[in-house]
Amino acid sequence: MDLRRINDWTLLTGSSIEIRQQGSPVCSGYVDAVTEDGTILWLRPPAQNRRLFEKGEFYEAWAREDRTGFHYEVTKGLGHQNEWKPASKESSSVIHPT
């Protein structure tokens, strides 16, 4: 399975991910914690101390997960073939009239 960019970091706690910055791999490991707003995460690389990464510094989280509940939907309009985000509970295929 390919790595997919995850835009919503709030769902990544406990996931195995790769951190990239401007397309280049920086670090990989398990997500130890994420702030409530999903702008900062702490990653625990193998045999190293945990590291902090901020979205504001152009870090991206890329994941390959098969866990139950860890589903993805295509991020529309961002122009990158592999950009995905976890599906939210609020998303639905029902169209409501306006």
Side-chain angles (χ1 to χ4, degrees):
M1 182 185 295
D2 294 330
L3 289 175
R4 302 288 184 200
R5 180 176 167 191
I6 308 301
N7 292 322
D8 184 0
W9 288 9
T10 61
L11 302 176
L12 290 175
T13 302
S15 300
S16 174
I17 68 164
E18 176 178 275
I19 293 291
R20 297 181 186 179
Q21 189 175 41
Q22 298 179 344
S24 298
V26 174
C27 188
S28 62
Y30 287 92
V31 177
D32 191 44
V34 179
T35 56
E36 276 187 32
D37 64 1
T39 59
I40 299 171
L41 67 75
W42 286 265
L43 189 70
R44 188 170 302 279
Q48 296 179 20
N49 292 327
R50 72 182 194 162
R51 296 178 58 186
L52 180 144
F53 296 95
E54 297 181 56
K55 275 188 178 181
E57 294 180 2
F58 306 104
Y59 288 109
E60 302 170 338
W62 291 71
R64 173 185 326 129
E65 285 290 335
D66 295 326
R67 290 186 291 153
T68 301
F70 199 82
H71 302 286
Y72 304 103
E73 65 182 37
V74 176
T75 302
K76 297 172 180 67
L78 294 179
H80 192 284
Q81 180 180 354
N82 288 329
E83 291 190 59
W84 291 48
K85 66 179 179 180
S88 67
K89 292 178 184 174
E90 293 81 30
S91 66
S92 167
S93 60
V94 176
I95 299 173
H96 300 281
T98 54

